[in-house]
């Protein structure tokens, strides 16, 4: 096993001094985030007049129906996998699946408490979505936008024959200038995003959309890992040498679906460590 670079070992007093210095910067970020969130709430909104139609377990639906009577709607634009000939596969994107798995249970209760509905939308047909949703065991609502312009208008299905190509508020030329590689591939293809809508009676308004790493702002395991010494364990992170090789950035082939990962149904907690000298714990592996 390749040894990773661990943080320096110092006295408690030296650690406390460094921690307080970082705390000052963390507080600055917190205040800046509060201001950013306030400015986000001050954004104007655009009325949605396009008669989008969606499919779900109860038939055809309007965008207004997806609110389920609540005042706000958050939509995660869930990427689906398609064959080269454009036919939908039987499964969605593994990265999007990881995101949905984190938000599909406890988050929903807290969002509903503040009159907000969360839903997934993909352009795959409902007949493909339904069995995959059942396989994942997610209670989060999921709808098909197949046959409508919804994905194109919110710039998560890129097909210049339907709408001008734009992602994360940049054109292909602007992405090329910025050095990002979002827009390569045979069209049409999907990317992910998150959009927010507000209802005023029967009228629906679009208030916000974010794409790329902007969707990380909803939290999840990334923000937990950002607090740890090893971080997300991806190669791009600083300081170098902390990556264990277990972290995988978006799009990596090694990313598994939630039902292919560790079974948490019997997570009964820790047990006393074995006193055997050859115990193969994580710390002993690091020392080798």
């Amino acid at each position: 096993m390749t040894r990773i670079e661990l943080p320096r070992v110092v006295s408690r007093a030296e650690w406390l001094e460094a921690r307080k210095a970082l705390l000052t910067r963390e507080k600055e970020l917190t205040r800046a985030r509060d201001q950013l969130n306030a400015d986000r709430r001050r954004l104007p909104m655009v009325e949605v007049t396009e008669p989008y139609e969606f499919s779900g377990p109860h038939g055809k639906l309007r965008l207004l129906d997806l609110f389920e009577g609540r005042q706000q709607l958050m939509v995660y634009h869930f990427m689906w996998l398609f064959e080269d000939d454009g036919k939908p596969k039987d499964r969605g994107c593994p990265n999007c699946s990881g995101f949905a798995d984190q938000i599909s249970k406890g988050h929903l209760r807290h969002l509903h408490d503040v009159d907000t509905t969360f839903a997934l939308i993909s352009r795959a047909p409902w007949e493909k979505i339904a069995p995959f949703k059942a396989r994942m065991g997610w209670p989060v609502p999921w709808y098909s936008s197949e046959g409508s312009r919804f994905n194109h208008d919110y710039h998560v299905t890129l097909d210049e024959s339907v709408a001008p190509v734009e992602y994360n508020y940049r054109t292909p030329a602007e992405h090329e200038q910025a050095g990002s590689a979002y827009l390569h591939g045979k069209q049409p293809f999907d990317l992910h995003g998150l959009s927010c809508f507000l209802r005023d009676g029967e009228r629906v308004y679009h208030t916000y959309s974010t794409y790329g790493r902007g969707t990380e702002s909803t939290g999840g395991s990334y923000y937990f890992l950002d607090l740890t010494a090893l971080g997300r364990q991806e190669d791009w992170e600083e300081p170098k040498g902390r990556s264990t090789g277990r972290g995988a950035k978006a799009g990596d082939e090694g990313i598994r679906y939630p039902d292919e990962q560790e079974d948490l149904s019997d997570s009964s907690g820790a047990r006393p460590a074995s006193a055997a000298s050859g115990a193969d714990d994580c710390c002993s592996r690091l020392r080798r």
Side-chain angles (χ1 to χ4, degrees):
M1 178 178 178
T2 302
R3 182 175 177 83
I4 61 175
E5 293 296 324
L6 302 180
R8 291 185 303 120
V9 177
V10 297
S11 67
R12 173 59 61 174
E14 188 176 350
W15 179 89
L16 188 59
E17 181 180 0
R19 178 64 188 94
K20 287 182 175 180
L22 184 63
L23 178 61
T24 299
R25 296 174 56 199
E26 287 178 334
K27 288 181 176 294
E28 291 172 353
L29 177 61
T30 297
R31 288 189 288 270
R33 184 168 55 242
D34 288 343
Q35 184 62 55
L36 179 65
N37 289 339
D39 290 342
R40 184 184 292 113
R41 291 189 291 271
R42 293 188 184 101
L43 279 174
M45 59 188 184
V46 179
E47 186 169 6
V48 180
T49 57
E50 181 75 20
Y52 299 117
E53 190 174 81
F54 304 90
S55 300
H58 305 297
K60 299 297 184 181
L61 299 158
R62 304 167 297 165
L63 183 61
L64 179 66
D65 298 323
L66 307 193
F67 283 75
E68 298 184 51
R70 301 183 182 93
Q71 189 165 16
Q72 295 193 117
L73 170 68
M74 299 181 72
V75 167
Y76 183 72
H77 302 285
F78 194 111
M79 296 166 59
W80 200 259
L81 301 182
F82 289 80
E83 303 285 0
D84 290 341
D85 61 3
K87 293 181 180 178
K89 295 185 178 182
D90 294 327
R91 60 193 187 278
C93 165
N95 288 103
C96 291
S97 297
F99 176 92
D101 196 60
Q102 293 177 67
I103 201 168
S104 67
K105 298 181 175 66
H107 280 64
L108 294 183
R109 298 189 188 97
H110 293 285
L111 291 172
H112 292 176
D113 285 346
V114 289
D115 211 20
T116 300
T117 296
F118 187 92
L120 310 175
I121 293 180
S122 300
R123 71 178 173 103
W126 170 246
E127 292 73 21
K128 291 287 186 181
I129 293 173
F132 184 72
K133 181 178 186 294
R135 169 188 161 184
M136 294 294 106
W138 296 330
V140 61
W142 199 344
Y143 307 101
S144 167
S145 63
E146 183 189 30
S148 84
R149 288 180 54 96
F150 183 78
N151 273 42
H152 301 86
D153 288 349
Y154 289 90
H155 304 288
V156 289
T157 291
L158 306 184
D159 185 349
E160 59 189 7
S161 70
V162 178
V165 171
E166 172 192 300
Y167 186 68
N168 207 13
Y169 306 101
R170 285 176 170 171
T171 64
E174 289 170 331
H175 274 291
E176 185 174 352
Q177 185 177 10
S180 51
Y182 283 123
L183 306 188
H184 294 299
K186 181 182 177 182
Q187 295 181 12
F189 62 89
D190 292 353
L191 293 172
H192 73 287
L194 184 68
S195 294
C196 299
F197 301 89
L198 179 68
R199 181 172 69 88
D200 185 11
E202 297 290 300
R203 304 176 80 168
V204 174
Y205 299 88
H206 174 222
T207 62
Y208 184 73
S209 286
T210 188
Y211 307 91
R213 290 192 62 192
T215 60
E216 292 179 7
S217 62
T218 55
S221 61
Y222 280 143
Y223 275 24
F224 282 92
L225 291 172
D226 283 344
L227 301 178
T228 69
L230 300 185
R232 305 179 189 191
Q233 300 174 49
E234 297 182 24
D235 291 338
W236 61 269
E237 291 181 289
E238 298 288 347
K240 298 299 183 185
R242 297 284 175 91
S243 175
T244 62
R246 301 189 67 179
K249 67 178 186 297
D252 280 3
E253 294 182 357
I255 295 175
R256 296 175 294 166
Y257 289 97
D259 64 342
E260 298 171 343
Q261 298 177 20
E262 178 186 5
D263 181 8
L264 300 178
S265 60
D266 186 30
S267 296
S268 54
R271 291 166 176 77
S274 170
S277 59
D280 190 26
D281 63 274
C282 60
C283 294
S284 65
R285 290 197 297 272
L286 282 175
R287 289 192 293 268
R288 292 173 189 167

